[in-house]
Amino acid sequence: MNRIITIGREFGSGGREIGKRVAEILQIPYYDNEIVTQISERTKLAEDYVNQFSEYKPITYFPITIGRSFQPIANPAEMQRSAICIEQGKILTELAGKSGCVIVGRCADYVLGAFYPMRLFIYADIDFKIKRCREKVPEHGHMSDKEIKQQIQAIDKSRANYYKFVTGLQWSKKTNYDMCINTTLYPIKDLAYTIAQLYERSWGVD
Amino acid sequence: MNRIITIGREFGSGGREIGKRVAEILQIPYYDNEIVTQISERTKLAEDYVNQFSEYKPITYFPITIGRSFQPIANPAEMQRSAICIEQGKILTELAGKSGCVIVGRCADYVLGAFYPMRLFIYADIDFKIKRCREKVPEHGHMSDKEIKQQIQAIDKSRANYYKFVTGLQWSKKTNYDMCINTTLYPIKDLAYTIAQLYERSWGVD
């Protein structure tokens, strides 16, 4: 079975960079937004729209009155979201079936459970994340620390909602991962090397 | 400054074994109960008694009625505990000042904050911990899974109380550590090697 590394990450913690570096060291594919693009192509929805659904928006039920009872029923937006989730699961499984790889986000730790992936969660102190966002995200350059913090928290909240929706579990809770790594004090290149070492030691080179 | 590795750990997760192996790979000292022995010698209290105070018992206040108000005042047991905490802090600082080392438990991650230690937390799934306890702890051999689980939970609860008492922080919360490692699926020897690699890469050999 192919050996998969899945990476959950707080926004601004450097999880994507770790993922890319690990994939580079191990010479295995790295998947992130490429997956969204594929889903978009398959479901014929605009890429931005898919992104919005799969990461950033909480689930909304519209209660409809039937007689005296309130009953939540599926709305078109929710149905689209479900379609995206199903398609995403299929694509993740296909990618994992092709070769060992690194997958960032997308609840891959849960969806690919049958592959026994190495499940990583990357996090950092809030001040570090604010600084990193200011440096790495062009549109954050002119925002105040407070504004960046609010954006980080909003994105992480949406990731948690999405994770809960797909898995029924709590995003970022350490029991759902094999290793949780705080990037605040350690160089990302060293952490990436460490992860790659463990991958190779535990499984041998793919 | 000497490079210190501190290890917090759930009971039964293999944190002690990881600590010993890391120290062995890096050829630096490993400290655990030796610290308790030293505290015992300095404070002239029996070792078992010290152990009980520093790990397993919650803090008890005896409210004393003064006029109409209730006021919690220090009792002898609490004063002894405070003395042990102060002495423990001194001993940890002395040990960290001597050379790079691995320290398991004793809130060393917090007490030695000035050394910027590599702060690890080791955890595992409950079934794994029960199995490990049954194999490693002689007195657990004849206990039921339920009894072992209760003991694990009781010990971890006391550790959390003690950590809260000394640091004011939440034990096992991942923001208090640099890396949290789940031993359920990875061989401890591989994890120990990985930690040692990160230690050497980040700081060079001590």
Side-chain angles (χ1 to χ4, degrees), chain A residues 3-121:
Chain A
R3 285 85 187 203
I4 316 300
I5 297 176
T6 63
I7 299 183
R9 74 295 181 213
E10 289 179 352
F11 188 76
S13 67
R16 275 170 63 94
E17 188 183 333
I18 285 186
K20 282 182 185 166
R21 283 179 182 267
V22 169
E24 203 176 293
I25 296 166
L26 294 170
Q27 299 190 291
I28 57 178
Y30 163 87
Y31 299 115
D32 189 352
N33 288 326
E34 293 87 327
I35 301 169
V36 179
T37 307
Q38 284 200 38
I39 296 167
S40 170
E41 283 168 8
R42 293 200 192 185
T43 55
K44 313 294 180 211
L45 295 165
E47 189 167 337
D48 284 353
Y49 191 62
V50 174
N51 250 325
Q52 204 177 42
F53 266 102
S54 60
E55 286 267 9
Y56 299 109
K57 294 283 173 191
I59 309 149
T60 317
Y61 286 98
F62 294 99
I64 309 262
T65 309
I66 301 172
R68 285 179 188 171
S69 67
F70 283 89
Q71 198 168 329
I73 66 158
N75 60 63
E78 201 186 326
M79 285 172 68
Q80 273 178 341
R81 174 177 288 195
S82 296
I84 289 164
C85 284
I86 291 165
E87 205 58 34
Q88 190 165 283
K90 283 172 64 182
I91 292 168
L92 288 174
T93 309
E94 282 172 25
L95 294 173
K98 280 187 196 165
S99 69
C101 59
V102 176
I103 302 177
V104 174
R106 319 283 155 195
C107 307
D109 53 306
Y110 180 86
V111 175
L112 298 178
F115 287 80
Y116 292 99
M118 180 188 284
R119 301 163 302 166
L120 307 178
F121 188 83

Side-chain angles (χ1 to χ4, degrees), chain A residues 123-125 180-186, chain B residues 4-8 103 107-122 163 169 173-181 195 198-199 203:
Chain A
Y123 64 105
D125 294 356
C180 303
I181 299 170
N182 186 341
T183 52
T184 309
L185 297 176
Y186 288 81
Chain B
I4 316 301
I5 296 175
T6 63
I7 299 182
I103 302 177
C107 307
D109 53 304
Y110 180 85
V111 175
L112 298 178
F115 286 80
Y116 292 100
M118 180 188 284
R119 301 163 302 167
L120 307 178
F121 188 83
I122 313 297
Y163 192 84
L169 300 171
K173 193 177 176 186
K174 66 182 187 305
T175 45
N176 300 328
Y177 307 95
D178 298 308
M179 199 174 277
C180 302
I181 299 170
I195 294 161
L198 180 61
Y199 179 95
W203 284 318

Side-chain angles (χ1 to χ4, degrees), chain B residues 32 34 66 71 88 158 188:
Chain B
D32 189 351
E34 293 86 329
I66 300 173
Q71 199 169 329
Q88 189 165 283
S158 300
I188 280 182

Side-chain angles (χ1 to χ4, degrees), chain A residues 186 190-191 194, chain B residues 118 179 194-202:
Chain A
Y186 288 81
D190 290 341
L191 294 170
T194 302
Chain B
M118 180 188 284
M179 199 174 277
T194 302
I195 294 161
Q197 283 285 310
L198 180 61
Y199 179 95
E200 286 187 335
R201 272 190 81 84
S202 303

Side-chain angles (χ1 to χ4, degrees), chain B:
Chain B
M1 198 184 288
N2 294 321
R3 286 85 186 205
I4 316 301
I5 296 175
T6 63
I7 299 182
R9 74 294 182 215
E10 288 178 353
F11 188 76
S13 67
R16 276 170 62 95
E17 188 182 333
I18 285 187
K20 281 181 185 166
R21 284 180 181 266
V22 168
E24 203 174 295
I25 296 166
L26 294 171
Q27 298 190 291
I28 57 177
Y30 164 87
Y31 300 114
D32 189 351
N33 289 325
E34 293 86 329
I35 301 169
V36 179
T37 307
Q38 284 201 39
I39 296 166
S40 171
E41 283 168 8
R42 292 201 192 185
T43 55
K44 313 293 180 213
L45 295 165
E47 190 167 335
D48 284 352
Y49 191 63
V50 172
N51 250 325
Q52 204 176 40
F53 265 103
S54 61
E55 287 266 8
Y56 299 109
K57 294 284 173 188
I59 310 148
T60 317
Y61 286 98
F62 294 99
I64 309 260
T65 310
I66 300 173
R68 285 182 190 169
S69 66
F70 283 88
Q71 199 169 329
I73 65 156
N75 61 62
E78 200 186 326
M79 286 172 70
Q80 273 179 340
R81 174 177 287 193
S82 296
I84 290 164
C85 284
I86 291 164
E87 205 59 33
Q88 189 165 283
K90 283 173 66 182
I91 292 168
L92 288 174
T93 309
E94 281 171 27
L95 293 172
K98 279 186 196 165
S99 70
C101 59
V102 176
I103 302 177
V104 174
R106 317 284 156 196
C107 307
D109 53 304
Y110 180 85
V111 175
L112 298 178
F115 286 80
Y116 292 100
M118 180 188 284
R119 301 163 302 167
L120 307 178
F121 188 83
I122 313 297
Y123 65 105
D125 295 356
I126 187 67
D127 290 343
F128 173 87
K129 291 187 289 189
I130 290 170
K131 186 168 173 285
R132 191 177 159 86
C133 282
R134 192 178 292 290
E135 286 166 7
K136 303 270 179 184
V137 185
E139 61 266 35
H140 285 166
H142 304 291
M143 289 166 68
S144 70
D145 281 3
K146 194 179 166 190
E147 286 168 332
I148 297 176
K149 184 178 176 181
Q150 283 170 342
Q151 191 159 18
I152 289 171
Q153 288 172 335
I155 293 172
D156 282 351
K157 192 175 174 191
S158 300
R159 286 180 178 172
N161 285 340
Y162 178 63
Y163 192 84
K164 182 79 180 174
F165 172 71
V166 173
T167 71
L169 300 171
Q170 191 183 328
W171 180 77
S172 93
K173 193 177 176 186
K174 66 182 187 305
T175 45
N176 300 328
Y177 307 95
D178 298 308
M179 199 174 277
C180 302
I181 299 170
N182 186 341
T183 52
T184 309
L185 297 176
Y186 289 81
I188 280 182
K189 67 175 171 40
D190 291 340
L191 295 171
Y193 179 85
T194 302
I195 294 161
Q197 283 285 310
L198 180 61
Y199 179 95
E200 286 187 335
R201 272 190 81 84
S202 303
W203 284 318
V205 180
D206 203 10

